[in-house]
Amino acid sequence: MLRTTLLAASRSPRARSVVEQLPPTRALVQRFVAGDRLDEAVAVTDELVGAGRRITLDHLGEDTRDAAQAAGTAAAYEALLAALKETGLAERAEVSVKLSAVGQFLPQDGERIALDNARRICAAAADAGTTVTLDMEDHTTTDSTLGIARELRADYPWLGVVLQAYLHRTESDCADFSGPGSRVRLCKGAYQEPASVAFQGKHEVDRSYVRCLKVLMAGEGYPMVASHDPRIITIAGELAQRNDRKPESFEYQMLYGIRPEEQQRIVASGATMRIYLPYGGEWYGYFMRRLAERPANLAFFLRALATKN
Ligand SMILES: Cc1cc2nc3c(=O)[nH]c(=O)nc-3n(C[C@H](O)[C@H](O)[C@H](O)COP(=O)(O)OP(=O)(O)OC[C@H]3O[C@@H](n4cnc5c(N)ncnc54)[C@H](O)[C@@H]3O)c2cc1C
């Protein structure tokens, strides 16, 4: 119920203007977001790389309204990738892209615009010597996103995709995307989805995650285990062993600001640990999805509100 309300609020312009103006919002946002500016994102990347992490940077933005804004987002990624190249961080830091931010939902030619912009970003990543992963949004975009990913992979075979274990279709998508060189980030899924397409209960989603992970770990691709769930992390380690995977043939991923001690433990174990690091002014939707994932985050936020007002 609370999760549903928060996810609905994540798409509401009215809720957005209220939440953005609340005094304690900024402080809590900083826990999950590197900052508004590129130099802040690069500084946090540098610090985390120094602590043994790999990074995937996300330039925040979801509600792209016209082609100029979509092109602006692609340009922001090009500037980011140039900065990663210049600072020598590209070897350890890649980028994550939401196709909606580069035009996928535009009424006229949205898919083509998103494909062209994503291609620009892939070219800049290739020039910097790093990779790109396409984030996955709600289920109405899955076919379009996987279609664009297939087209881009013809030129950029290292392009990663995200698959969401809460969708009924994902076990079969994992089989399709488990060929040689295929980079797949498996997550549980962060959007409000109907029962017709997605498992609804935590246990069902967790069981689906394990089934999907079994397919990816047994395949010939590069699984990226995106979860903070201790049981999933343990099972991932066991499946990697069972499939004779070396530490460099898969990786763990977590969101910036969540379970940092566990991130450190994984680094110390010799496994690859990548942090998803968002930056930019458009943090509202991302922030609300993080609140929806964990009631304790909301309680922390409300406590801060109560003490400030
Ligand atoms: C690298 C990465 C990329 C992602 N990309 C996408 C994407 O493209 N599309 C998409 O739909 N989703 C994406 N997600 C989000 C994902 O789908 C889940 O919503 C999120 O990761 C929570 O699921 P969980 O596996 O951590 O397990 P859960 O069962 O939700 O949580 C397990 C435990 O992790 C901790 N935890 C989880 N979330 C939080 C939080 N917000 N704050 C504090 N503690 C928390 C808690 O201790 C919790 O008990 C991504 C997640 C990661 C890590």
Side-chain angles (χ1 to χ4, degrees):
M1 174 67 182
L2 184 59
R3 178 170 179 268
T4 310
T5 309
L6 286 165
L7 288 176
S10 77
R11 297 195 161 273
S12 153
R14 244 181 84 214
R16 176 180 178 147
S17 69
V18 172
V19 172
E20 283 184 346
Q21 279 162 37
L22 292 172
T25 301
R26 259 324 222 211
L28 191 53
V29 168
Q30 274 171 9
R31 182 181 152 196
F32 299 116
V33 175
D36 284 359
R37 299 191 318 266
L38 171 60
D39 62 323
E40 293 172 309
V42 171
V44 177
T45 300
D46 192 36
E47 192 185 311
L48 290 170
V49 164
R53 269 74 145 183
R54 308 283 173 101
I55 308 297
T56 185
L57 282 138
D58 167 31
H59 179 266
L60 291 166
E62 301 174 32
D63 296 322
T64 297
R65 286 171 297 277
D66 55 45
Q69 193 185 355
T73 301
Y77 272 102
E78 287 172 329
L80 168 63
L81 285 156
L84 293 177
K85 182 181 179 184
E86 201 175 303
T87 51
L89 289 166
E91 202 189 310
R92 289 178 171 257
E94 62 140 37
V95 297
S96 284
V97 178
K98 282 190 174 44
L99 288 178
S100 65
V102 290
Q104 189 180 28
F105 294 161
L106 296 178
Q108 207 148 21
D109 271 349
E111 280 200 14
R112 189 196 48 77
I113 292 169
L115 174 61
D116 289 350
N117 283 324
R119 205 180 278 287
R120 273 174 63 184
I121 297 170
C122 287
D127 178 59
T130 188
T131 52
V132 178
T133 299
L134 296 183
D135 282 350
M136 192 61 82
E137 298 174 71
D138 72 63
H139 78 278
T140 61
T141 68
T142 310
D143 281 326
S144 159
T145 300
L146 294 183
I148 289 175
R150 284 192 181 93
E151 285 210 38
L152 290 169
R153 277 178 179 220
D155 294 322
Y156 304 104
W158 41 253
L159 180 85
V161 292
V162 177
L163 295 175
Q164 297 153 315
Y166 63 14
L167 295 183
H168 299 151
R169 60 178 285 169
T170 296
E171 198 176 338
S172 146
D173 286 335
C174 284
D176 288 351
F177 279 85
S178 61
S182 185
R183 293 170 64 247
V184 176
R185 172 192 299 159
L186 182 64
C187 66
K188 289 187 187 176
Y191 297 82
Q192 188 64 38
E193 299 287 16
S196 54
V197 298
F199 299 110
Q200 301 293 306
K202 175 171 163 57
H203 292 300
E204 271 187 310
V205 174
D206 289 357
R207 275 201 292 272
S208 170
Y209 194 107
V210 174
R211 286 196 301 274
C212 293
L213 194 54
K214 280 183 177 164
V215 174
L216 295 177
M217 284 288 190
E220 297 171 280
Y222 182 82
M224 303 185 276
V225 183
S227 179
H228 315 94
D229 187 332
R231 281 195 56 233
I232 296 286
I233 292 165
T234 304
I235 291 169
E238 289 166 2
L239 286 173
Q241 257 191 348
R242 199 184 301 166
N243 288 284
D244 289 329
R245 280 189 173 267
K246 305 237 158 36
E248 60 278 10
S249 71
F250 72 105
E251 69 184 43
Y252 297 94
Q253 297 192 343
M254 292 191 193
L255 303 177
Y256 178 60
I258 301 182
R259 303 201 69 204
E261 293 87 10
E262 177 64 1
Q263 295 173 13
Q264 192 48 44
R265 187 197 65 78
I266 290 174
V267 171
S269 77
T272 303
M273 176 78 248
R274 192 179 298 275
I275 309 306
Y276 186 101
L277 181 64
Y279 77 100
E282 293 286 318
W283 45 260
Y284 177 74
Y286 181 85
F287 173 68
M288 293 302 278
R289 287 196 296 279
R290 303 294 78 81
L291 289 188
E293 275 157 10
R294 198 166 183 241
N297 288 341
L298 182 65
F300 181 75
F301 182 54
L302 293 175
R303 254 200 318 276
L305 258 185
T307 47
K308 291 269 159 101
N309 286 331

